[in-house]
């Protein structure tokens, strides 16, 4: 070893000692294999995660001369020398544009290629490929695309025709897309573009932010955009049932002295953290505060798996024994692998590799835990508990539509609960900005709010939000005060939110009509003229017109704007049952999205003729029609 050291200059040796100290985070005088991953970053030799793992295994086998599972400074120096040898530096040169697990790609347009770089996570790609392969493995429409290879770029190619994206949206939020609207056979560039429009507009309708993503980006398989959109779609599905109105057993997570409405204000991420800590407390293990630093050693996961694994108490339930033999392994990567083998017994080895656990990848670990919760929540609603059942009703369709609309525009933070998340009006101010109502941000109090008087700061914001609505936006806000928003008064909050959504929708139309003001009468007149011009027999008198419940005026309008988009055999026109009406509505909304209309309304809104949502449907179609003329 001594000979090796003499071949490195004194300056280099000092730098290596400094790097070693940085990496030896527990000051033990050694680095372990997972600390070696940080070594590569420090030594400016970044690599994707799977490569690091391969090299780590070789290094441990070859360089760990005293075979103690750790690497001391002298062994570290010999590694650096080895890395400087020609063979290895070649492989590093190939990967010079890669950080650990992060792949950098140049821009794809002529302009953006001149120095713009977008990065994407290799780990995320692998995780999402495996999740999609499992989710859609039995879908006959995906047989030509699955299974995808997680180690190459097949994900980006496989998503290019739009079918997989549409299927994943329905997997996360069933019935969002009417399958009859997906183009599946003899695909052409045009029908592929329709599929991608359908996917993007449907993703938007379930609350995904799709600003600045177009069908062309997906067709070209731009990795950072594809992965960003996929994560949002997957997360919607993972979080769907982590909500008290949909899973009353979550009441078991109430802390002593805590009111139910406080628990209901928690985000899905916060509920998951509390769920994990509930089980860790039962196991007598210390609580965690995050899904990154605190889970790196896998030990909390071991205890969580042991708590949620079926114990065989029910007649039809077989017990699953969690084996703790890997719990005390000194090697973090190996321990993570043993832990994941136990997760596999529960059918839950998803989203993370041992390296993702040890690196504390927060996104993928969150997904791993959410999947565990969805498969084995192991919670029981407390008996003899008297709670206000009104609190457990869950959100209405209207509330969900408004919330999804806000989130699709990219407001921050993400809106999980319409009323409690609007209590400081910050989301309202962002929506004012997006609807061209000038906000004086100097007047806005921003978080973190002080413990004393913090709510007063929020009420000041809410007062300003109401004032802007009345004076600048000219909204009808009779009887609405700031404290109504702050307290989450449903009726009064919805009145403001609806007017914001309406203004946003009409702004889009006004822009297409060269700034001309648009109102309900103008939309209705345009709808009827367009229908008449296309020789359609349907028409509407208002957005409350009973004929809208059949969706026939909407379907005919789509056909007038985009001939051949509607397949006549899919539409029921006479003797309509309730089921027929719903089927027509589902088809109408999906085809509208497919031709490029960003519709947030739900099929039920058409069937029940909800005038507000009906108005947005016709307004969006008018926008599409005007756009086509232009």
């Amino acid at each position: 070893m001594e000979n090796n050291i003499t071949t490195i200059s004194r300056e280099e040796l000092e730098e290596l000692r400094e790097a070693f100290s940085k990496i030896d985070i527990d000051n033990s005088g050694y680095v372990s294999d997972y600390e070696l991953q940080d070594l590569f970053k420090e030594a400016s030799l970044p690599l994707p995660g799977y490569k690091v793992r391969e090299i780590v295994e070789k290094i441990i086998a070859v360089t760990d001369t005293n075979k103690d599972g750790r690497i001391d400074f002298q062994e570290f120096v010999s590694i650096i020398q080895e890395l400087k040898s020609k063979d290895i530096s070649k492989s590093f040169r190939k990967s010079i544009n890669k950080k650990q697990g992060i792949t950098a790609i140049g821009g794809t347009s002529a302009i953006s290629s001149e120095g713009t770089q977008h990065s994407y996570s290799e780990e995320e790609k692998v995780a999402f490929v495996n999740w999609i392969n499992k989710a859609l493995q039995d879908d006959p429409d995906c047989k030509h695309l699955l299974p995808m290879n997680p180690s190459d770029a097949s994900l980006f190619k496989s998503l290019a025709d739009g079918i997989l994206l549409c299927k994943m949206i329905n997997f996360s939020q069933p019935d969002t897309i009417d399958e009859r609207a997906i183009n599946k056979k003899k695909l052409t560039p045009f029908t592929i573009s329709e599929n991608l429009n359908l996917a993007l507009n449907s993703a938007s309708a379930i609350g995904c932010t799709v600003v600045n993503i177009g069908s062309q980006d997906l067709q070209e398989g731009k990795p950072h955009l594809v992965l960003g959109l996929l994560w949002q779609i997957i997360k919607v599905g993972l979080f769907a049932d982590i909500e008290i109105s949909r899973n009353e057993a979550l009441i078991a997570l109430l802390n002593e002295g805590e009111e139910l409405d406080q628990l209901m204000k928690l985000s899905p991420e916060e509920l998951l953290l509390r769920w994990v800590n509930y089980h860790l407390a039962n196991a007598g293990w210390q609580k965690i505060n995050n899904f990154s630093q605190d889970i790196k050693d896998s030990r909390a996961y071991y205890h969580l798996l042991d708590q949620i694994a079926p114990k065989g108490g029910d007649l039809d339930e077989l017990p699953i024994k969690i084996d703790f033999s890997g719990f005390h392994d000194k090697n973090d990567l190996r321990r993570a692998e043993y832990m994941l083998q136990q997760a596999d017994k529960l059918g839950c080895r998803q989203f993370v590799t041992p390296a993702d656990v040890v690196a504390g990848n927060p996104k993928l670990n969150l997904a791993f835990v959410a999947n565990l919760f969805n498969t084995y929540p192991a919670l029981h609603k407390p008996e003899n508990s008297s709670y206000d059942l009104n609190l457990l009703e869950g959100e209405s369709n209207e509330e969900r539509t408004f919330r999804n609309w806000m989130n699709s525009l990219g407001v921050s933070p993400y809106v999980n609960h319409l009323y409690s998340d609007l209590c400081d009006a910050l989301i309202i101010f962002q929506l004012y900005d997006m609807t061209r109502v000038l906000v004086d941000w100097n007047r806005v109090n921003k978080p973190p709010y002080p413990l004393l008087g913090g709510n007063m700061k929020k009420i000041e914001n809410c007062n300003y939000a109401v004032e802007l609505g009345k004076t600048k936006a000219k909204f009808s806000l009779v009887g609405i005060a700031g404290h109504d928003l702050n307290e989450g008064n449903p009726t009064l909050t919805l009145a403001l939110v609806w007017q914001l959504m309406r203004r946003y929708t009409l702004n889009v139309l006004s822009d297409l009509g060269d700034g001309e003001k648009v109102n309900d009468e103008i939309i209705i007149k345009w709808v009827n003229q367009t229908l008449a011009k296309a020789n359609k027999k349907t028409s509407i008198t208002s957005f409350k017109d009973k004929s809208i419940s059949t969706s026939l005026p909407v379907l005919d309008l789509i056909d007038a704007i985009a001939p051949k988009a509607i397949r006549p055999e899919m539409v029921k026109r006479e003797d309509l049952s309730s089921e027929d009406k719903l089927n027509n509505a589902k088809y109408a909304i999906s085809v509208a999205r497919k031709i490029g209309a960003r519709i947030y309304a739900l099929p039920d809104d058409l069937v029940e003729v909800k005038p507000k949502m009906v108005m947005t449907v016709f307004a969006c179609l008018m926008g599409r029609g005007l756009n086509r003329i232009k």
Side-chain angles (χ1 to χ4, degrees):
M1 197 69 188
E2 201 58 40
N3 295 338
N4 287 342
I5 292 173
T6 55
T7 63
I8 287 183
S9 71
R10 186 181 294 277
E11 287 81 15
E12 271 187 293
L13 201 59
E14 281 305 310
E15 281 171 22
L16 288 181
R17 197 172 287 284
E18 193 181 328
F20 186 88
S21 304
K22 271 189 194 173
I23 293 151
D24 177 21
I25 49 179
D26 53 7
N27 297 316
S28 62
Y30 298 90
V31 293
S32 65
D33 52 1
Y34 78 92
E35 287 171 322
L36 267 175
Q37 297 198 9
D38 293 328
L39 153 67
F40 291 121
K41 285 190 207 166
E42 276 301 319
S44 302
L45 298 170
L47 280 176
Y50 70 94
K51 271 287 183 206
V52 172
R53 291 194 286 279
E54 281 173 20
I55 289 176
V56 162
E57 281 162 19
K58 281 179 195 162
I59 284 170
I60 292 286
V62 177
T63 318
D64 183 17
T65 49
N66 54 3
K67 303 297 174 201
D68 63 351
R70 301 180 299 177
I71 293 165
D72 62 24
F73 180 65
Q74 289 191 324
E75 290 168 335
F76 170 43
V77 171
S78 69
I79 290 170
I80 291 297
Q81 287 189 302
E82 183 69 14
L83 291 176
K84 286 185 169 185
S85 77
K86 278 185 182 171
D87 286 355
I88 291 184
S89 60
K90 250 186 232 165
S91 71
F92 276 127
R93 204 170 297 125
K94 275 183 198 166
S95 305
I96 202 72
N97 238 358
K98 296 183 178 181
K99 298 179 187 169
Q100 177 201 334
I102 300 284
T103 308
I105 51 168
T108 44
S109 70
I111 299 167
S112 66
S113 292
E114 294 170 7
T116 305
Q117 284 215 333
H118 296 292
S119 60
Y120 72 89
S121 159
E122 192 74 25
E123 283 87 356
E124 281 179 31
K125 183 199 76 179
V126 170
F128 299 167
V129 165
N130 289 333
W131 183 246
I132 294 169
N133 281 344
K134 185 184 176 190
L136 303 178
Q137 63 188 356
D138 298 325
D139 192 316
D141 296 324
C142 302
K143 286 233 181 317
H144 65 299
L145 300 167
L146 300 182
M148 295 176 282
N149 183 345
S151 58
D152 63 21
S154 59
L155 171 68
F156 309 115
K157 295 189 189 91
S158 299
L159 289 174
D161 69 8
I163 294 175
L164 267 190
L165 267 178
C166 288
K167 296 285 186 173
M168 280 309 294
I169 288 167
N170 273 352
F171 180 77
S172 283
Q173 194 91 304
D175 282 338
T176 299
I177 295 173
D178 187 327
E179 290 262 341
R180 296 173 296 171
I182 305 173
N183 300 316
K184 297 173 184 174
K185 291 175 183 162
K186 295 180 182 171
L187 295 176
T188 65
F190 178 73
T191 56
I192 286 170
S193 179
E194 281 191 328
N195 279 349
L196 292 166
N197 279 334
L198 174 58
L200 280 171
N201 289 323
S202 300
S204 181
I206 62 171
C208 301
T209 306
V210 296
V211 182
N212 301 329
I213 307 178
S215 60
Q216 194 62 34
D217 298 318
L218 299 178
Q219 223 162 329
E220 290 168 10
K222 291 183 179 172
H224 63 295
L225 294 177
V226 168
L227 291 177
L229 177 61
L230 260 184
W231 168 237
Q232 292 185 78
I233 293 167
I234 290 169
K235 195 163 76 163
V236 165
L238 288 173
F239 285 2
D241 289 329
I242 307 172
E243 213 250 294
I244 293 170
S245 64
R246 296 183 68 157
N247 193 337
E248 290 183 23
L250 283 162
I251 293 172
L253 302 181
L254 268 171
N255 288 333
E256 206 172 321
E258 185 178 35
E259 294 293 328
L260 181 59
D261 66 333
Q262 291 305 112
L263 189 67
M264 294 192 74
K265 287 176 183 174
L266 297 183
S267 67
E269 291 93 334
E270 290 166 328
L271 279 171
L272 277 177
L273 197 58
R274 191 175 286 202
W275 173 72
V276 172
N277 285 328
Y278 168 87
H279 286 302
L280 292 181
N282 288 341
W285 192 254
Q286 69 258 33
K287 72 176 211 168
I288 63 167
N289 297 305
N290 53 59
F291 294 119
S292 49
Q293 194 67 34
D294 291 2
I295 50 79
K296 285 182 172 185
D297 66 3
S298 301
R299 292 192 168 108
Y301 281 159
Y302 260 107
H303 284 293
L304 175 62
L305 293 171
D306 189 47
Q307 289 293 312
I308 66 174
K311 304 296 182 276
D314 299 334
L315 289 173
D316 58 344
E317 181 184 80
L318 290 172
I320 297 175
K321 177 82 177 136
I322 299 301
D323 179 358
F324 268 72
S325 58
F327 184 85
H328 297 292
D329 196 296
K330 289 190 167 61
N331 179 295
D332 281 45
L333 267 178
R334 271 201 308 268
R335 193 184 317 114
E337 170 57 34
Y338 293 143
M339 179 277 295
L340 287 174
Q341 286 172 15
Q342 302 312 303
D344 202 19
K345 291 181 183 176
L346 302 180
C348 292
R349 185 169 184 155
Q350 283 288 345
F351 293 111
V352 289
T353 61
D356 298 327
V357 175
V358 171
N361 182 316
K363 187 185 284 186
L364 297 181
N365 278 284
L366 175 68
F368 172 66
V369 172
N371 187 44
L372 282 174
F373 173 88
N374 289 327
T375 315
Y376 290 103
L379 289 176
H380 302 285
K381 186 183 170 187
E383 288 176 22
N384 307 322
S385 52
S386 55
Y387 298 107
D388 182 355
L389 293 177
N390 292 327
L391 285 175
L392 299 176
E393 270 182 11
E395 61 186 354
S396 66
N397 281 347
E398 185 181 32
E399 289 161 350
R400 185 161 92 243
T401 300
F402 288 148
R403 194 171 56 76
N404 286 338
W405 167 67
M406 293 173 187
N407 287 325
S408 75
L409 296 178
V411 295
S412 180
Y414 188 90
V415 181
N416 290 297
H417 309 294
L418 188 63
Y419 304 114
S420 56
D421 291 356
L422 265 52
C423 72
D424 63 357
L426 284 184
I427 301 290
I428 301 285
F429 292 131
Q430 292 171 58
L431 294 171
Y432 275 138
D433 258 358
M434 292 171 190
T435 54
R436 299 175 208 155
V437 175
L438 200 61
V439 177
D440 178 358
W441 284 95
N442 294 323
R443 280 188 62 180
V444 176
N445 301 312
K446 298 170 190 75
Y449 302 105
L451 282 174
L452 271 176
N455 202 49
M456 202 58 231
K457 297 281 184 196
K458 295 178 184 179
I459 290 174
E460 284 172 9
N461 280 355
C462 292
N463 286 334
Y464 180 40
V466 173
E467 178 195 319
L468 276 177
K470 287 176 176 174
T471 57
K472 295 270 174 68
K474 302 285 187 273
F475 289 163
S476 169
L477 299 175
V478 181
I480 301 181
H483 65 82
D484 295 314
L485 291 182
N486 178 254
E487 290 165 9
N489 178 304
T491 308
L492 301 178
T493 303
L494 287 177
L496 172 58
V497 172
W498 158 242
Q499 289 179 81
L500 279 162
M501 187 181 190
R502 177 184 163 81
R503 182 183 173 97
Y504 179 85
T505 307
L506 294 180
N507 277 352
V508 174
L509 277 182
S510 182
D511 290 348
L512 288 167
D514 299 322
E516 189 186 332
K517 281 271 185 288
V518 179
N519 57 30
D520 290 6
E521 287 70 34
I522 289 172
I523 298 170
I524 291 166
K525 187 179 172 189
W526 181 88
V527 167
N528 287 330
Q529 283 177 343
T530 308
L531 287 168
K533 225 180 273 178
N535 299 317
K536 303 293 181 188
K537 289 175 185 162
T538 48
S539 63
I540 58 169
T541 52
S542 72
F543 298 133
K544 295 177 183 173
D545 193 312
K546 290 276 189 291
S547 70
I548 294 167
S549 72
T550 65
S551 295
L552 294 176
V554 180
L555 289 157
D556 285 347
L557 185 62
I558 293 168
D559 192 54
I561 296 167
K564 296 187 182 165
I566 298 288
R567 286 159 59 200
E569 71 273 18
M570 296 297 170
V571 180
K572 184 86 187 284
R573 289 193 169 266
E574 285 163 8
D575 304 320
L576 273 68
S577 65
S578 300
E579 195 183 343
D580 293 331
K581 288 181 177 181
L582 188 60
N583 281 335
N584 276 358
K586 285 178 181 176
Y587 187 58
I589 284 177
S590 284
V591 180
R593 289 173 181 156
K594 178 171 152 178
I595 66 164
R598 186 148 292 172
I599 285 173
Y600 295 90
L602 300 166
D604 288 339
D605 295 324
L606 290 179
V607 175
E608 294 164 26
V609 195
K610 298 278 181 67
K612 290 174 184 172
M613 290 300 132
V614 165
M615 173 263 170
T616 64
V617 171
F618 283 115
C620 289
L621 285 170
M622 180 177 174
R624 201 70 210 105
L626 292 175
N627 218 3
R628 293 209 163 196
I629 294 163
K630 285 201 155 194

